[in-house]
Amino acid sequence: MLIVLKEKNNQELIAQVQDLLHSKFGCPSHIIGENRRILAVTGDTSVVDVDLLKSMEGIKSVDRVDRPYPLASRGTKNRTLIHVSDTCVIGDPKSVVVMAGPCSIDSEGDLDEAAAMAKEKGVNILRGGAYKPRTGPYSFQGTGYEGLKLLQKAGEKYGMKTISEIMKAEDLPKFEDTVDMLQIGARNMQNYELLKAVSKSKKPVLLKRGLAATLEEWLLAAEYLLKGGNLNVMLCERGIRTFEQEVRFTLCLGSVPALREMTHLPIIIDPSHAMGKTRWVKDAALGGVAVGADGLIIEIHPRPKDSACDAAQLLDPEHWTDCMDGIRAVSKALGKTVV
Ligand code: PEP
Ligand code: MN
């Protein structure tokens, strides 16, 4: 960490800052350069309160140099690979992994049909929400543990791995028994107690970007999972809230190349929640593949109008076929295989 002072050789300030760094954060520091204006801080600087330093009279700037998320940072490794099966590896630069299924698990019959739609297109991971985070308390809240059991049954029937959103730590044992992967939704990205609980699970975790989270805040959330011992973490860009009203969220495709430089974690795009309209999902999905995402998570349904949740954005069989044809074509152009 580098601290630049406003004035040259201000002995009193240098002593004050060095004392604070040592006594409060346990970090040694050294004045460097002829002008005696720059303090180089060593040791574990992740504990240093940068805002406190910046607020001090006489300090011009504070530059962390090292990122505050050492485990998620690209510096520690190049790519995390999540082995779903022998042929399906999330994070493999030669693959695009598609996860698909209904928004919510409403009934056994509809889930079975959605799973069949996914399987028919070669999808290996079945999604489905059992505990639903709804904006209003009067909206359908999901089928809970019964839904998880139906998801497990469909996964077994069609030979697919399963993923579902967990909203509270107490539910972890139910998820451990039924699903293969855990999803932490956008609204819970900064639920630190949930992150700590899920970090103790061995199951891969898909961590969605919070509605208003910066890339750094998102990676710090991922750091909680890694720090607790769960190394199979993937990031999912699902759009952020901006002033734009025409699309449901603003899909930040630029986060893919940016994250690629910042982290080794796989990056997934969710075109469904970003766009909010069935007819727009394919274009966003293709954009995600083109910009280098490792995978996609897409909502599909045999009859979208029957769905209890997100009916406006679900892909019916026709849109789904068209979307998968496009995903395969763009992936092929990039020398990648869809798995
Ligand atoms: C979902 O995938 O079902 C969901 C609720 O998404 P998000 O957390 O991105 O809104
Ligand atoms: Mn949904």
Side-chain angles (χ1 to χ4, degrees):
M1 174 180 287
L2 294 177
I3 302 174
V4 180
L5 309 180
K6 284 183 186 154
E7 281 175 30
K8 292 182 197 170
N9 202 19
N10 181 338
Q11 301 283 9
E12 199 184 325
L13 182 62
I14 294 170
Q16 193 191 343
V17 176
Q18 287 196 304
D19 182 53
L20 178 76
L21 287 165
H22 179 73
S23 61
K24 193 165 164 73
F25 307 114
C27 288
S29 58
H30 311 275
I31 192 93
I32 54 172
E34 278 178 20
N35 290 331
R36 297 182 60 81
R37 276 185 64 202
I38 302 172
L39 272 169
V41 190
T42 53
D44 177 11
T45 58
S46 62
V47 294
V48 176
D49 184 345
V50 172
D51 292 330
L52 175 64
L53 290 168
K54 281 184 178 167
S55 74
M56 287 171 73
E57 189 89 46
I59 290 189
K60 184 165 179 264
S61 63
V62 181
D63 186 350
R64 261 199 192 279
V65 186
D66 289 330
R67 302 213 189 254
Y69 41 86
L71 301 173
S73 170
R74 179 74 184 265
T76 56
K77 63 179 175 181
N78 193 25
R79 269 176 183 266
T80 282
L81 300 180
I82 300 176
H83 291 264
V84 178
S85 67
D86 290 347
T87 50
C88 181
V89 180
I90 303 171
D92 176 352
K94 289 276 165 217
S95 315
V96 173
V97 176
V98 178
M99 310 176 207
C103 174
S104 56
I105 300 157
D106 302 342
S107 70
E108 185 167 5
D110 285 0
L111 175 65
D112 186 274
E113 285 181 68
M117 277 169 71
K119 183 70 185 178
E120 198 207 332
K121 300 292 172 198
V123 167
N124 288 297
I125 304 169
L126 178 65
R127 68 146 282 152
Y131 298 86
K132 296 302 301 175
R134 304 306 302 275
T135 303
Y138 305 111
S139 304
F140 173 69
Q141 303 286 308
T143 44
Y145 190 39
E146 288 309 308
L148 287 185
K149 286 194 277 192
L150 292 177
L151 186 66
Q152 180 182 31
K153 198 170 161 191
E156 280 165 8
K157 175 173 171 186
Y158 290 98
M160 282 189 271
K161 300 287 184 196
T162 56
I163 181 165
S164 195
E165 176 170 353
I166 178 164
M167 294 208 292
K168 55 182 201 298
E170 303 90 276
D171 289 336
L172 191 55
K174 293 179 189 145
F175 281 78
E176 292 286 358
D177 279 356
T178 50
V179 303
D180 299 301
M181 296 185 195
L182 305 166
Q183 176 174 324
I184 294 185
R187 289 154 192 83
N188 273 313
M189 186 206 86
Q190 286 179 310
N191 181 340
Y192 300 115
E193 293 309 314
L194 179 64
L195 293 170
K196 283 184 209 166
V198 168
S199 78
K200 299 297 169 204
S201 171
K202 299 264 175 294
K203 299 195 190 264
V205 185
L206 180 134
L207 177 65
K208 289 198 156 193
R209 182 178 186 174
L211 271 59
T214 64
L215 298 188
E216 181 168 295
E217 286 162 345
W218 190 9
L219 289 170
L220 284 167
E223 189 79 6
Y224 272 86
L225 296 168
L226 300 169
K227 182 170 181 280
N230 191 327
L231 303 181
N232 288 319
V233 177
M234 57 200 128
L235 303 166
C236 176
E237 171 65 66
R238 44 79 75 210
I240 48 175
R241 173 62 52 77
T242 66
F243 50 81
E244 186 50 64
Q245 305 276 307
E246 293 295 319
V247 280
R248 189 174 179 193
F249 291 95
T250 298
L251 182 60
C252 184
L253 286 179
S255 64
V256 179
L259 285 171
R260 199 63 88 194
E261 287 183 8
M262 298 166 85
T263 182
H264 50 83
L265 300 174
I267 309 155
I268 309 296
I269 292 283
D270 174 348
S272 303
H273 291 90
M275 304 311 286
K277 281 191 176 69
T278 299
R279 65 183 184 277
W280 293 345
V281 170
K282 172 191 165 186
D283 289 336
L286 301 197
V289 178
V291 83
D294 298 299
L296 299 162
I297 183 162
I298 302 175
E299 290 189 340
I300 62 173
H301 197 281
R303 290 164 302 280
K305 286 191 181 59
D306 290 351
S307 173
C309 191
D310 284 350
Q313 70 195 32
L314 303 171
L315 301 191
D316 52 61
E318 202 180 317
H319 281 91
W320 170 232
T321 298
D322 185 39
C323 184
M324 278 304 276
D325 288 349
I327 291 167
R328 286 194 193 282
V330 176
S331 301
K332 193 171 169 206
L334 296 172
K336 294 183 170 188
T337 316
V338 180
V339 286

